[in-house]
């Protein structure tokens, strides 16, 4: 349960069917020091150089590769635009004022370079022109995933197996096997609906992992509940699956069918796009029956693989 949430009773029932100029130089993971070698590029072999020019493009403060505008002091020492602000316009090498001098020659030299993706160790074997490399890395399919846990702002990143272990060991998320689920959600005072999130479980299906979310929040002025599924993998893989959710009572029911969203999309982005089963509070209380003083919802669903 998210911090600040009310007390809830949750029953899970799963049925398996399958200052100054002195700035510390901290080594960044973005720093790349390629050596001469051969990598695969679009089915071909690409060769990148070890002539040392790339070392000139490393910012001496953050050690990241520099992109235009590249700044220099009157003595020719360079640094990136982000660090220029950090050092208060004072050269970290010679302590001269930096001014507003750009190193156009170095920016031009960078155009001739080709470098490997920084996620090479994770499986990306492509090389890119210097100024295309950064854009590629922002969308590289080998880039680490962010932790999909919705109950806190977790900064952990990693591949899928590492995140599954992290969710289980650090967030104590329940893990289940099977492609169908049956969840009963009970709230004693449903009239107190604050923004809160719950990730109910992670379950293994077809050898992949899916995150089932259930959230309570305000949609405009209306309090609502929402259930949706996220896929632990990229969007192109998520599109190979479909899922359905169903909730009801008193002879009525709501059914949702959709495609699970990749965890590349945050749970907040999925929620704000309303891409899931949304239940208005009044209807949820009608489904619950009784005197409408206690919420009792049973959410069932299944996942299947598209042919």
């Amino acid at each position: 349960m998210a911090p600040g949430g009310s007390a809830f009773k949750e029953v899970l029932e799963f049925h398996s069917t399958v200052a100054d100029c002195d700035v510390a130089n901290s080594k960044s993971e973005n720093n790349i020091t390629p050596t001469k070698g051969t990598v695969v590029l679009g089915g071909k072999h690409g060769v990148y150089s070890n002539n040392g020019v790339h070392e000139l493009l490393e910012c001496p403060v953050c050690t990241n590769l520099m992109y235009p505008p590249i700044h220099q002091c009157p003595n020719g020492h360079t640094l990136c635009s982000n660090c220029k602000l950090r050092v208060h316009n004072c050269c970290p090498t010679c302590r001269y004022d930096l001014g507003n001098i750009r190193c156009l020659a170095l920016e031009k030299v960078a155009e001739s370079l080709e470098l490997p993706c920084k996620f090479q160790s994770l499986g990306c074997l492509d090389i890119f022109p210097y100024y295309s490399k950064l854009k590629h890395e922002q969308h590289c399919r080998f880039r680490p995933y962010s932790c999909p846990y919705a109950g806190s702002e977790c900064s952990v990143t990693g591949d899928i197996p590492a995140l599954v272990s992290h969710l289980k060991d650090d967030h104590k998320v329940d893990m289940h096997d099977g492609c169908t689920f049956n969840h009963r959600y009970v709230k004693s005072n449903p009239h107190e609906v604050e923004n809160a999130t719950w990730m109910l479980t992670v379950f293994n299906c077809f050898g992949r992992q899916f995150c089932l979310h259930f959230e309570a929040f305000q949609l405009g002025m209306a309090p609502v509940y929402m259930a949706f599924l996220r896929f632990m993998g990229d969007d192109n893989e998520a599109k190979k699956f479909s899922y359905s959710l169903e909730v009801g009572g008193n002879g009525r029911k709501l059914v949702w069918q959709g495609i699970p969203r990749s965890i590349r999309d945050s749970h907040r982005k999925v929620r704000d796009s309303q891409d899931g089963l949304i239940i208005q509070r009044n209807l949820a209380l009608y489904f619950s029956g009784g005197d409408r003083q206690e919420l009792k919802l049973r959410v069932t669903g299944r996942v299947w693989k598209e042919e």
Side-chain angles (χ1 to χ4, degrees), residues 9-299:
K9 178 182 178 183
E10 300 179 5
V11 180
L12 296 177
E13 301 173 5
F14 283 86
H15 305 284
S16 300
T17 57
V18 225
D20 51 26
C21 303
D22 296 325
V23 177
N25 291 357
S26 58
K27 195 69 175 177
S28 168
E29 66 174 345
N30 293 337
N31 181 36
I32 300 176
T33 308
T35 57
K36 188 173 183 180
T38 303
V39 295
V40 176
L41 175 57
K44 300 179 181 179
H45 289 283
V47 178
Y48 56 87
S49 172
N50 68 344
N51 58 16
V53 176
H54 69 277
E55 295 178 1
L56 297 176
L57 289 160
E58 291 181 359
C59 174
V61 177
C62 66
T63 72
N64 292 334
L65 294 176
M66 296 184 289
Y67 294 88
I70 299 175
H71 298 277
Q72 69 175 21
C73 76
N75 290 325
H77 303 120
T78 57
L79 79 165
C80 70
S81 56
N82 289 334
C83 289
K84 183 175 184 288
L85 299 175
R86 294 176 58 193
V87 300
H88 307 293
N89 205 43
C90 177
C91 176
T93 303
C94 67
R95 300 300 191 264
Y96 271 72
D97 286 343
L98 287 167
N100 290 303
I101 308 172
R102 281 182 65 175
C103 188
L104 299 177
L106 190 56
E107 292 179 7
K108 189 68 175 178
V109 168
E111 293 180 2
S112 65
L113 291 182
E114 290 187 336
L115 296 175
C117 173
K118 73 176 181 180
F119 304 120
Q120 185 181 49
S121 63
L122 299 178
C124 184
L125 300 180
D126 290 344
I127 60 173
F128 300 89
Y130 187 83
Y131 290 134
S132 301
K133 175 177 174 292
L134 189 62
K135 182 177 181 180
H136 159 78
E137 290 171 350
Q138 293 172 346
H139 303 282
C140 178
R141 66 188 183 94
F142 293 98
R143 72 191 189 277
Y145 294 89
S146 298
C147 173
Y149 189 69
S152 65
E153 297 299 326
C154 182
S155 60
V156 170
T157 61
D159 59 17
I160 298 302
L163 287 182
V164 170
S165 297
H166 164 68
L167 289 170
K168 180 180 179 181
D169 298 336
D170 298 329
H171 292 299
K172 310 303 180 185
V173 171
D174 290 330
M175 304 284 172
H176 294 269
D177 295 321
C179 296
T180 63
F181 44 89
N182 186 338
H183 176 258
R184 184 167 175 256
Y185 180 74
V186 178
K187 189 176 189 297
S188 59
N189 190 352
H191 295 284
E192 295 180 0
V193 175
E194 64 286 322
N195 286 327
T197 61
W198 300 266
M199 186 168 73
L200 301 181
T201 191
V202 170
F203 58 95
N204 300 297
C205 177
F206 297 108
R208 307 307 298 266
Q209 290 75 38
F210 299 82
C211 302
L212 175 64
H213 294 263
F214 192 93
E215 305 199 5
F217 63 100
Q218 295 285 141
L219 184 59
M221 298 299 293
V224 299
Y225 302 97
M226 180 176 176
F228 57 89
L229 205 66
R230 286 202 292 164
F231 172 75
M232 296 188 71
D234 278 339
D235 185 62
N236 61 333
E237 296 178 285
K239 292 176 180 178
K240 299 176 182 178
F241 300 92
S242 294
Y243 76 101
S244 64
L245 297 172
E246 182 177 314
V247 62
N250 281 334
R252 281 86 171 172
K253 68 180 178 181
L254 287 177
V255 179
W256 165 266
Q257 180 173 320
I259 298 172
R261 296 282 287 271
S262 165
I263 60 171
R264 296 289 191 198
D265 293 334
S266 69
H267 81 280
R268 183 178 295 275
K269 180 178 180 179
V270 179
R271 188 195 74 180
D272 291 347
S273 68
Q274 302 177 36
D275 190 5
L277 176 64
I278 297 178
I279 314 150
Q280 299 288 337
R281 184 177 66 186
N282 287 338
L283 184 57
L285 292 175
Y286 183 78
F287 287 158
S288 301
D291 56 7
R292 300 166 64 91
Q293 298 302 308
E294 186 177 39
L295 182 72
K296 296 179 180 179
L297 286 180
R298 183 177 295 277
V299 179

